[in-house]
Amino acid sequence: MERGKPLGKVISKEEFTLKLEKRAQRFFKVGNLILKKRYFSQNYYSNLENEAHILETFLDDHKARGNKTFAFFTELVACIRWIARTAHTLKHIQNRYKSYGVEKDGKLLTDIKNSLEFCNSSISNLYKALKEEALSIGIKVPSSYLNEEDFMEAEIQEYLVQDIDEDYCCLYQEEKVIEVTFAYVDVADRLAQLLKEEEPTEDKIEELSSAFHRIQSKYDSYISGSKEEKEDKRLKKMRGYTSVCLHLLEAALYMLHFYERHIKADGLSGLKEKISRIVSPSEVRENIKVILNHANGYALEGEFLARELLKDYADMTLARERVIIPKGSVLHLRPASALVEPVIHSTAPVLLEIDGKKVRANSVLEIIAVMGEVADKLEKSDVEMVLQGDKEIVRKMKENFLTKIVETKY
């Protein structure tokens, strides 16, 4: 009978120190540039993040987080990785901003510059602490660094003549424009609502970032290069708003991950306390707030354009209705078809969300299923329903719901 492979063996601190010293050499050589200069390229941040990720994976593979000697070293490497990732994204926005076609007062670029300076000082302080920690546990840190030219920003001064005359053709091109712009309005509204009513968390920002990413992907798949895009310059601008919002949310997401995972005060551990003395938690929160406010501002500007496009491409005047179903209400499921009736006779998209769950607005079965799920919840609390779509369709759906489906008990 073949014997299984052993799970591994415990190694000594001395043995692992030698392995770690050898594996960390390139990371230190990339990191040493931090102490030498003040300006960093997007390419540099990308390399620093990558080297930190490789080193952190090596440390995790050897369970270094659970070892008293190497836990703080591991934590510092992880912190550098996430702030470098944030800086890389901010630098990307800075480099591409003019190409988005959504320039306004320059405030965003000023705040990105300030946030990058905060990232640089944070990385520098974390790296100094890491070198001290490395020396304290017996790791030799090289004094050399990699060639700066390897990390220079690529400046493209030459390009080929753009002479392709083909139009990308899709049978349902206008429907795709409607689909993309409608989705944009929804996610822009959700972002504004979140920042107004709740404390942003990593999970919530990741959800919104993913939504903008799906919009961008759908645009690139079905609208980019199309006849509609070439004839209607507003579409490229719509793409620009999507991109700048996506990348701002990504930068906020990475900084939120760093904050929640490594320095958030709740249940502050000894390692978090050490990190919070190196990087100010209040400054991290302030930078997150500034980035999210810019994301919200651009999202709302893009929403105005998206509504304009919906009016022109689908003759839609959008409305968004939030209906609070009071605690104790009774939902009559048998006439649920009354809710979908206005949608069935229209090609305009409609968003229907009940208790945070999105369902197809033209599906009686899905609506009955989700209403059945919230029926028990109504015994204890209110439930929110959101309707978004053409103004007249939303009005009729709301009216049918309130008169035929929900029975409120006071």
Side-chain angles (χ1 to χ4, degrees):
M1 185 176 183
E2 191 174 331
R3 300 175 99 183
K5 291 183 179 180
L7 294 175
K9 66 172 185 176
V10 176
I11 61 174
S12 67
K13 168 192 165 182
E14 292 74 21
E15 188 178 353
F16 180 67
T17 299
L18 292 173
K19 288 178 178 288
L20 177 57
E21 180 178 288
K22 183 178 179 180
R23 181 57 68 97
Q25 290 300 297
R26 183 175 170 84
F27 170 79
F28 282 123
K29 287 179 180 179
V30 173
N32 281 344
L33 279 175
I34 297 167
L35 308 180
K36 181 177 182 288
K37 54 187 291 187
R38 294 179 61 84
Y39 172 82
F40 301 99
S41 67
Q42 185 180 348
N43 188 24
Y44 175 76
Y45 291 125
S46 177
N47 275 270
L48 180 61
E49 178 201 345
N50 185 54
E51 292 302 327
H53 185 207
I54 291 170
L55 186 56
E56 185 184 2
T57 301
F58 172 80
L59 289 158
D60 284 342
D61 286 346
H62 289 80
K63 304 186 186 301
R65 291 182 193 276
N67 184 275
K68 286 190 295 183
T69 301
F70 299 100
F72 186 46
F73 183 94
T74 306
E75 192 75 2
L76 287 164
V77 171
C79 289
I80 290 171
R81 175 194 171 198
W82 284 100
I83 298 184
R85 194 172 188 183
T86 304
H88 175 268
T89 305
L90 291 171
K91 196 70 181 176
H92 177 82
I93 301 170
Q94 190 182 65
N95 291 343
R96 297 288 186 89
Y97 184 63
K98 287 187 178 181
S99 70
Y100 296 144
V102 295
E103 294 179 75
K104 43 181 184 177
D105 57 10
K107 183 72 166 60
L108 173 62
L109 291 180
T110 299
D111 286 339
I112 283 180
K113 181 175 178 290
N114 292 336
S115 288
L116 281 169
E117 288 176 358
F118 171 72
C119 288
N120 290 343
S121 64
S122 298
I123 293 172
S124 177
N125 291 335
L126 287 165
Y127 186 67
K128 288 175 184 175
L130 181 69
K131 288 186 73 173
E132 290 178 9
E133 183 67 11
L135 294 171
S136 73
I137 57 181
I139 296 173
K140 295 176 183 177
V141 179
S143 58
S144 60
Y145 46 81
L146 296 185
N147 193 334
E148 285 186 64
E149 292 180 1
D150 292 340
F151 307 114
M152 289 179 64
E153 208 81 82
E155 294 185 11
I156 306 299
Q157 302 291 344
E158 302 171 332
Y159 55 87
L160 293 168
V161 173
Q162 304 297 283
D163 55 4
I164 290 182
D165 293 325
E166 292 181 48
D167 286 324
Y168 174 76
C169 182
C170 174
L171 293 177
Y172 308 103
Q173 202 73 63
E174 289 193 357
E175 287 186 20
K176 294 301 180 183
V177 172
I178 294 167
E179 191 177 332
V180 164
T181 48
F182 184 76
Y184 185 100
V185 171
D186 173 47
V187 70
D189 282 347
R190 284 160 53 200
L191 174 59
Q193 185 179 329
L194 170 65
L195 297 184
K196 182 180 178 182
E197 299 178 359
E198 301 179 54
E199 182 71 23
T201 63
E202 184 182 354
D203 288 345
K204 291 170 183 174
I205 297 303
E206 183 174 27
E207 183 183 332
L208 293 168
S209 173
S210 297
F212 273 112
H213 187 265
R214 287 192 296 273
I215 293 168
Q216 180 174 281
S217 296
K218 190 160 288 186
Y219 182 101
D220 291 345
S221 295
Y222 298 107
I223 301 173
S224 182
S226 68
K227 179 181 176 183
E228 279 77 7
E229 186 188 57
K230 290 178 182 179
E231 293 180 351
D232 191 341
K233 302 302 181 186
R234 296 175 300 172
L235 292 174
K236 277 193 175 180
K237 193 168 187 178
M238 186 78 251
R239 201 323 185 144
Y241 279 119
T242 303
S243 294
V244 75
C245 291
L246 167 62
H247 296 311
L248 284 168
L249 287 174
E250 285 176 338
L253 173 64
Y254 303 146
M255 200 172 279
L256 266 167
H257 177 91
F258 167 72
Y259 175 74
E260 293 185 6
R261 174 67 176 81
H262 299 288
I263 58 173
K264 190 175 180 181
D266 295 349
L268 196 66
S269 67
L271 292 179
K272 284 186 176 181
E273 188 176 4
K274 285 183 178 181
I275 299 296
S276 67
R277 289 200 294 265
I278 300 170
V279 181
S280 166
S282 62
E283 288 189 56
V284 174
R285 288 196 303 271
E286 182 58 31
N287 275 273
I288 293 169
K289 181 180 177 182
V290 168
I291 293 169
L292 288 176
N293 283 341
H294 278 297
N296 188 42
Y298 279 92
L300 293 176
E301 285 190 19
E303 181 182 357
F304 182 83
L305 177 59
R307 287 175 180 274
E308 183 182 284
L309 288 165
L310 280 169
K311 180 67 178 172
D312 291 347
Y313 281 81
D315 194 24
M316 285 176 61
T317 300
L318 274 187
R320 182 183 180 91
E321 291 279 357
R322 297 173 68 189
V323 181
I324 302 299
I325 309 170
K327 171 184 173 182
S329 297
V330 175
L331 297 178
H332 299 287
L333 302 184
R334 196 175 291 275
S337 58
L339 191 58
V340 306
E341 182 184 359
V343 186
I344 292 174
H345 303 295
S346 171
T347 58
V350 177
L351 168 74
L352 176 58
E353 188 175 309
I354 303 176
D355 196 30
K357 298 175 182 177
K358 292 182 181 179
V359 296
R360 287 183 295 171
N362 62 352
S363 172
V364 176
L365 291 178
E366 286 188 24
I367 290 171
I368 288 175
V370 75
M371 284 185 178
E373 290 177 19
V374 302
D376 292 339
K377 187 173 181 179
L378 280 170
E379 294 179 7
K380 301 177 182 177
S381 64
D382 297 345
V383 169
E384 181 183 73
M385 180 174 75
V386 177
L387 295 165
Q388 181 168 288
D390 181 75
K391 185 177 180 180
E392 284 304 309
I393 295 175
V394 166
R395 181 193 63 77
K396 186 63 177 174
M397 290 180 73
K398 180 180 178 182
E399 180 185 307
N400 286 355
F401 179 78
L402 294 176
T403 58
K404 299 179 181 180
I405 296 174
V406 64
E407 179 185 338
T408 306
K409 294 185 176 181
Y410 295 96

